[in-house]
Amino acid sequence: MEAFGYEHSGGPDVFEVYEVPTPKLKETDILIETKAFGLNNFERSQRAGMFGETTKLRIPGRDVAGIVKETGSAVSNFKPGDRVVAHGHHSYAKFATSSEDNTVIIPEKISFEDAAAIVTPGITAYNALHYFGNVQPGQVVIVKGASGGVGSLASQLALNFGAHVIGIGSSKNESYVESLGVSEYVAYDKDNPEEIMQDKADLVINSAMNGASSAEDIAMVKPGGTIATVAHDESEVNNKGVQINHIEPTKEVADTDALKVIIDLMANKKLSIKVGYVLPFTLEGVRKGHTILDRRHDGRVIISKDV
């Protein structure tokens, strides 16, 4: 089968087209014919060698939407022909694999591109709220980076869970965040969120680039509140009794828990994701997608067979 990968670390041009065997299924596996896949910053960092040099062929990718081609003997909830989205494996290829605990059905009204766009940011946002943030109805939730992939989904999920959401971001993104249903917004390039939001939040979700300003998070949360953050600043010290949880991959929450909620909300037009780029399922498309990842960009980057 056709796959996009690389054998050494570097820039976007390390990607090449390879002919590799179609995966052989274990009894719990699902084989998905890829229709669209999403690109993530983890894959950009991996390609660039930030987690160590690549010395053998790597076919990356987790976020995939497509058609079930085949299932293992122990799979009971899916059949060939089903439209699915998954937090799978090796999605930069004609066929990807997944399992029942990371795959859900896509309703006909949701495109493959939109489904592929929500996988990693959706799971991250859901876990940030439920597992790391323990959000409760009626709470005040401040979301930093509210216009980004994780932040925009966290904002919408929190609203649907019955929280009052305050978004923080740049002034250029205010109208977009408000279009998601967030009624209160602080533009950090116009005002000082730390001063305006002092002791305001029960929960702060920090999904801003690199987890910007942990001290600001502590200032904005109420005494005894919770911060769920992508930052990993071990020097964080506070005298407010604040619980600080670092958002990271966890097996404590099944991927399907997040994906089912998000897909259902999306199908009912209660949640959306901004797709910035839909590129062709070609080597040029993959290289261009990673070139976009290497710079600041607006919206998710998707590779699709329908382009």
Side-chain angles (χ1 to χ4, degrees):
M1 68 173 183
E2 181 183 50
F4 306 106
Y6 51 89
E7 298 180 70
H8 59 91
S9 305
D13 61 351
V14 299
F15 275 101
E16 298 291 348
V17 180
Y18 294 89
E19 189 65 29
V20 300
T22 299
K24 293 183 179 180
L25 299 188
K26 300 176 183 177
E27 62 180 10
T28 56
D29 285 346
I30 300 168
L31 186 67
I32 301 171
E33 182 181 357
T34 303
K35 294 297 185 181
F37 62 87
L39 308 188
N40 290 296
N41 283 323
F42 174 83
E43 292 143 26
R44 172 188 59 80
S45 300
Q46 190 179 51
R47 181 214 77 223
M50 294 181 184
F51 306 123
E53 288 294 316
T54 297
T55 58
K56 60 182 180 180
L57 176 60
R58 185 189 299 276
I59 308 299
R62 298 295 307 274
D63 301 5
V64 60
I67 303 291
V68 174
K69 182 72 173 180
E70 185 182 346
T71 61
S73 60
V75 174
S76 58
N77 294 320
F78 299 92
K79 64 184 185 303
D82 285 343
R83 301 175 83 246
V84 296
V85 60
H87 194 214
H89 301 281
H90 310 300
S91 63
Y92 287 39
K94 181 178 180 179
F95 293 102
T97 59
S98 66
S99 61
E100 288 188 311
D101 61 2
N102 61 21
T103 306
V104 300
I105 296 289
I106 309 172
E108 289 291 339
K109 62 182 70 176
I110 297 176
S111 71
F112 289 119
E113 291 79 13
D114 283 347
I118 57 90
V119 181
T120 289
I123 291 170
T124 304
Y126 183 92
N127 290 347
L129 288 164
H130 272 276
Y131 183 68
F132 297 105
N134 191 28
V135 67
Q136 301 297 318
Q139 286 187 329
V140 175
V141 178
I142 290 177
V143 179
K144 292 175 65 175
S147 66
V150 173
S152 65
L153 292 175
S155 298
Q156 294 171 85
L157 286 169
L159 288 169
N160 279 287
F161 297 152
H164 174 75
V165 178
I166 301 169
I168 294 180
S170 67
S171 55
K172 70 177 183 179
N173 293 319
E174 182 171 0
S175 60
Y176 168 65
V177 175
E178 289 178 344
S179 75
L180 304 177
V182 176
S183 58
E184 196 169 350
Y185 189 84
V186 178
Y188 61 74
D189 52 348
K190 288 185 176 180
D191 297 299
N192 186 332
E194 185 173 338
E195 294 179 359
I196 295 174
M197 296 287 111
Q198 182 81 30
D199 295 335
K200 181 77 171 180
D202 298 287
L203 170 63
V204 172
I205 301 292
N206 185 346
S207 65
M209 184 68 71
N210 300 321
S213 187
S214 298
E216 182 181 82
D217 300 345
I218 294 170
M220 294 190 299
V221 74
K222 296 176 182 177
T226 302
I227 297 169
T229 176
V230 298
H232 285 265
D233 183 358
E234 298 302 329
S235 66
E236 294 161 351
V237 176
N238 72 89
N239 58 3
K240 297 171 69 173
V242 173
Q243 177 69 42
I244 300 175
N245 297 324
H246 299 298
I247 301 168
E248 55 192 2
T250 177
K251 294 183 179 180
E252 296 299 319
V253 183
D255 291 343
T256 51
D257 290 349
L259 293 175
K260 284 178 180 177
V261 169
I262 292 168
I263 287 292
D264 182 64
L265 289 172
M266 184 177 282
N268 287 286
K269 300 188 182 304
K270 295 181 179 180
L271 179 145
S272 63
I273 184 76
K274 181 188 288 187
V275 175
Y277 306 85
V278 180
L279 304 171
F281 192 91
T282 62
L283 177 60
E284 291 74 20
V286 172
R287 286 178 172 178
K288 181 177 180 180
H290 271 253
T291 299
I292 292 167
L293 290 184
D294 277 347
R295 62 175 189 258
R296 293 189 69 87
H297 61 280
D298 191 24
R300 297 284 290 156
V301 183
I302 305 298
I303 304 295
S304 173
K305 284 188 175 176
D306 289 335
V307 175

